[in-house]
Amino acid sequence: MTLTCKQLLQNHAQAWHEATVHPFLEQCKLGTIQPQQFNTWLVQDYLFVVDFTRMVGRTLASAPPHHFDVILGGLTALKDELNWFKEKAAQRQLNLDTAKQPTCIEYCEYMQSLATMPYPVQASTFWAIEFAYNQGWQLPGVMPKPYIEFADRWGNRGFTEYVKLLEQQADEVLQTASATVQKQAEEAFLRVAKFEKDFWQMAFHAAQ
Ligand code: HMH
C-alpha cells in the first residue's frame, strides 16, 4: 500500500480540522481577536519559524538533489519571512527576545527530533507544517486589516503552489518508502496536527 499526503488528510480528517480551524483564526476574520492574543501568537510564531528554518535546512541536507530547487525556494521565502516577522514585531513594539512557551518548546523539540527520521518522514512533515498555515489562514475567508496581511502571507497563490510542490515531493518518496517508514510518516502527521491545534490554543488563551 502506498501512502500519499491526500490519504493522510483523509485518514485523519478530524485531527486536521482541529489543526486548521480554530477560534483564533475565526476571530481574526471577525476582527475581534485581542491584541494580547495576537501578539502572543506573533512572537511565539517568530520563535517557531526560527527553529522551523533549521528543520528545513536539515531536510535539505537529507534530500535528493532533484528536490533542492523547491526546498531552496522555501528557505529563501523563510529568509524573507523572518525579516517580515521582525518588522511586524517592531511595529507593535514587541520584544522577540522572549522565552518560548511550553507548547512552542515542545513543537520545536519535535522538529529537531525529525533529523533522525528517514527523508520521506521529513518531507511529508515539512509539507504538513506549511499546509497547516496555507489552509488555516485561508479557510475563514477574507480577513479585515491588519490581519489580511497575515492571511495573505500563507494564503497567497504562490505559497499555495509551493505547498503543492512540497506535496508532490513528499508523495514521490512516500511511494517507495517501506511500511515502517510510512507508519512513521503517519505518526508524524498526527503529531503535527496536534501541535498546530495546541499552538492556536496557546495564543488564544494568552493571559490578558
Ligand atoms: C505554528 N505552523 C506554525 N507556524 C508557522 N509559521 C507555520 C506552521 C508555517 O507554515
Side-chain angles (χ1 to χ4, degrees):
M1 270 277 284
T2 66
L3 183 67
T4 62
C5 293
K6 286 235 156 42
Q7 262 177 287
L8 288 171
L9 293 167
Q10 277 172 16
N11 294 351
H12 307 289
Q14 182 59 33
W16 196 250
H17 181 84
E18 288 170 15
T20 53
V21 178
H22 193 276
F24 182 97
L25 292 162
E26 299 292 339
Q27 294 198 14
C28 288
K29 151 86 181 166
L30 295 170
T32 55
I33 197 83
Q34 297 301 302
Q36 182 67 18
Q37 295 170 303
F38 194 78
N39 293 342
T40 296
W41 168 77
L42 192 114
V43 171
Q44 294 295 315
D45 209 52
Y46 167 76
L47 299 171
F48 169 86
V49 172
V50 168
D51 276 2
F52 177 60
T53 302
R54 294 190 170 116
M55 188 203 96
V56 177
R58 289 187 294 264
T59 302
L60 177 75
S62 305
H66 71 285
H67 284 191
F68 279 17
D69 219 54
V70 173
I71 302 172
L72 287 169
L75 282 167
T76 305
L78 285 166
K79 165 186 149 75
D80 181 64
E81 186 168 306
L82 287 164
N83 289 325
W84 174 81
F85 264 111
K86 285 186 220 163
E87 217 178 279
K88 295 297 115 187
Q91 284 169 3
R92 291 168 175 263
Q93 292 163 324
L94 302 174
N95 183 9
L96 290 176
D97 191 13
T98 297
K100 281 183 187 133
Q101 293 198 19
T103 299
C104 187
I105 293 176
E106 271 182 56
Y107 201 170
C108 290
E109 284 177 354
Y110 181 67
M111 288 194 291
Q112 204 160 358
S113 77
L114 289 169
T116 63
M117 288 286 183
Y119 177 65
V121 179
Q122 295 183 48
S124 53
T125 308
F126 181 14
W127 159 75
I129 294 174
E130 295 288 41
F131 190 51
Y133 264 35
N134 180 237
Q135 272 207 319
W137 281 101
Q138 275 186 90
L139 287 173
V142 181
M143 291 190 184
K145 271 187 181 176
Y147 310 112
I148 186 166
E149 183 185 344
F150 293 82
D152 193 51
R153 170 150 288 272
W154 291 284
N156 75 72
R157 220 180 275 169
F159 194 85
T160 301
E161 282 309 306
Y162 155 68
V163 175
K164 282 193 186 130
L165 294 174
L166 292 178
E167 178 178 342
Q168 281 172 19
Q169 295 197 159
D171 281 351
E172 180 205 311
V173 290
L174 282 173
Q175 207 178 350
T176 52
S178 68
T180 306
V181 171
Q182 291 189 9
K183 184 100 187 82
Q184 287 173 328
E186 190 137 27
E187 280 163 10
F189 179 80
L190 275 171
R191 292 291 298 273
V192 165
K194 177 71 165 57
F195 279 128
E196 288 292 330
K197 177 192 170 186
D198 290 349
F199 210 90
W200 294 126
Q201 291 283 102
M202 168 194 74
F204 193 69
H205 296 292
Q208 294 296 314

